[in-house]
Amino acid sequence: MDTRRRPAKLVPPFRGDVLAVDFLHAQPQVVLAGTRSGHVCQLDTRTAPEAWDSMVFRHKSSVAHLRAVGGFDVLAAGPKNAMCIYDLRFVKAKEQKAGEKPFEPWERNTAAPAVEFPGYRNEAHIKIGLDVLTQPGYGHGVVAAAHDDCTVGLYSLRDGSRMPSGDVDKSRAPGVVKAIQFQTVASDQHPSLFVGVGSVIQKFSY
């Protein structure tokens, strides 16, 4: 998967600027790559690279974060306040209109979001914090996402709604939060949310 060699002709997006990488839960041989151009690429290591062109679709913005959050579900987030979950089983080919220039292989697919997050606020940042909690026992899962107003919001992976969380909602950083992680430390029974706020790390436990 060498992104350094660039043919003279137009190249597929996964040979360009990759911003995020994860692995599909249902098929861990599939590498998911999110690009600055907004493409989400499925790179199946069991097939020849030439076949990867056909397994690409577009997100609404550059893909700063890409996380597998279910068997075939993928969360993509980036600028333009764009955070969505896509079900890769429902990616489909766009209809070719009469007289329209034929699609390149990596331009021919479309995917409607299965879940959208209307409260997510990130207008322009690529380097901005995000993490997801998907382990069993915590409902359908939670995504913690930094906003461009220097706050952090918690969202439900089930329906995209913002989840009220008093202490997290009150937190204000001196700049955009870039470090967020859910983690269960040895002394705790449940995961905590760790957030880099200025020169300190805040721990939120539930």
Side-chain angles (χ1 to χ4, degrees):
M1 303 179 189
D2 189 346
T3 64
R4 294 173 296 179
R5 293 186 298 172
R6 292 173 177 270
K9 298 172 65 176
L10 185 65
V11 297
F14 54 80
R15 290 184 186 167
D17 201 355
V18 176
L19 302 178
V21 174
D22 204 356
F23 294 82
L24 190 62
H25 287 178
Q27 297 176 336
Q29 305 92 340
V30 176
V31 183
L32 302 169
T35 69
R36 190 178 297 276
S37 64
H39 291 87
V40 176
C41 314
Q42 302 174 63
L43 315 182
D44 192 332
T45 59
R46 299 165 296 182
T47 64
E50 292 76 16
W52 299 344
D53 289 8
S54 63
M55 297 186 289
V56 178
F57 67 92
R58 287 291 297 270
H59 179 50
K60 298 179 178 181
S61 73
S62 296
V63 184
H65 295 281
L66 189 67
R67 299 292 181 88
V69 295
F72 292 93
D73 292 338
V74 176
L75 181 143
K80 301 180 181 179
N81 306 321
M83 183 160 64
C84 306
I85 294 175
Y86 299 94
D87 188 331
L88 300 186
R89 294 170 296 182
F90 296 100
V91 175
K92 61 181 181 179
K94 293 185 287 188
E95 183 178 349
Q96 189 78 52
K97 297 179 181 179
E100 190 176 24
K101 178 184 176 182
F103 297 130
E104 297 288 352
W106 56 89
E107 295 176 333
R108 71 184 188 184
N109 291 334
T110 184
V115 178
E116 297 187 76
F117 297 78
Y120 179 59
R121 290 293 175 265
N122 171 26
E123 187 59 40
H125 295 278
I126 293 293
K127 294 183 178 180
I128 191 168
L130 181 144
D131 199 17
V132 296
L133 176 66
T134 57
Q135 66 191 72
Y138 301 95
H140 290 81
V142 178
V143 55
H147 295 159
D148 54 12
D149 63 356
C150 307
T151 64
V152 174
L154 300 182
Y155 296 90
S156 168
L157 292 177
R158 180 179 64 85
D159 60 8
S161 62
R162 184 161 181 174
M163 304 167 60
S165 181
D167 288 339
V168 176
D169 292 340
K170 294 175 185 176
S171 179
R172 293 291 187 278
V176 171
V177 173
K178 298 181 180 179
I180 295 177
Q181 185 171 339
F182 285 105
Q183 183 64 44
T184 304
V185 298
S187 59
D188 294 342
Q189 292 184 327
H190 300 283
S192 295
L193 178 65
F194 293 82
V195 180
V197 178
S199 59
V200 302
I201 299 174
Q202 293 183 344
K203 177 188 177 188
F204 300 94
S205 300
Y206 303 91

